[in-house]
Amino acid sequence: MPLVLLRKQKIEKIIPTDARLMTQMKLQQMKSQVASAADRMAPVAVQARDMAQDKLYVAREWAAPRLDAAAHSVEEQLAPRVSAMLSQAAAKVDPAPKGKSRSWPMFLLLAGLAVGAAGFAMYRRNSEQWTDMLKENASDASRWVSEKTHTGTQKAGGMTGETASKTGPEADGHADKGEAQADQASNKLS
């Protein structure tokens, strides 16, 4: 049994030598028991670690789609509601809401008027050019028609002359009628 002396400042514990030996022997015995337990537990610990890794992998495999679905749910359902709520709160907190600017509609109106005026000026200029061109084309067309009728009349006159010589005075009357009708057509086209 150990003997303990008490003093005011110091407490000393005196252990006899055979008790020391017994403690060392028990420590050695405990060390050997711990070493043998460690040798027995090493394979069990490795197996437990492998099982834990497998279970962790399965848990992650199970949780990943659910976390993704939760993220989409928050993004599609909760986020718009929170955003709308924050926008409403901001509108209520704003001390002086600004009025709508009326400069854009006025600018668009003036730009439209400017584009319309430019289009009208271009239309007027192009219409004068078109009328001049149409007049030239019409005079060319009437000249071409009158030339064609004149050549047609000459051919008809030549044919009537030939037929008149063959048929006589009756054919002359018909030829004169044909020439008169050709002249009238020529005058109408001119």
Side-chain angles (χ1 to χ4, degrees), residues 101-117:
S101 173
R102 295 186 183 206
S103 61
W104 277 103
M106 187 60 73
F107 173 73
L108 290 176
L109 178 67
L110 292 176
L113 287 174
V115 168

Side-chain angles (χ1 to χ4, degrees), residues 54-66:
D54 290 343
K55 297 293 181 180
L56 183 62
Y57 182 79
V58 168
R60 288 175 62 188
E61 215 172 36
W62 175 85
R66 282 157 182 79

Side-chain angles (χ1 to χ4, degrees), residues 27-58:
L27 280 174
Q28 287 294 335
Q29 188 181 16
M30 287 176 77
K31 279 183 184 179
S32 68
Q33 287 176 352
V34 167
S36 68
D39 290 341
R40 281 182 286 157
M41 290 308 215
V44 173
V46 169
Q47 186 181 9
R49 183 192 65 206
D50 292 342
M51 280 181 59
Q53 284 178 345
D54 290 343
K55 297 293 181 180
L56 183 62
Y57 182 79
V58 168

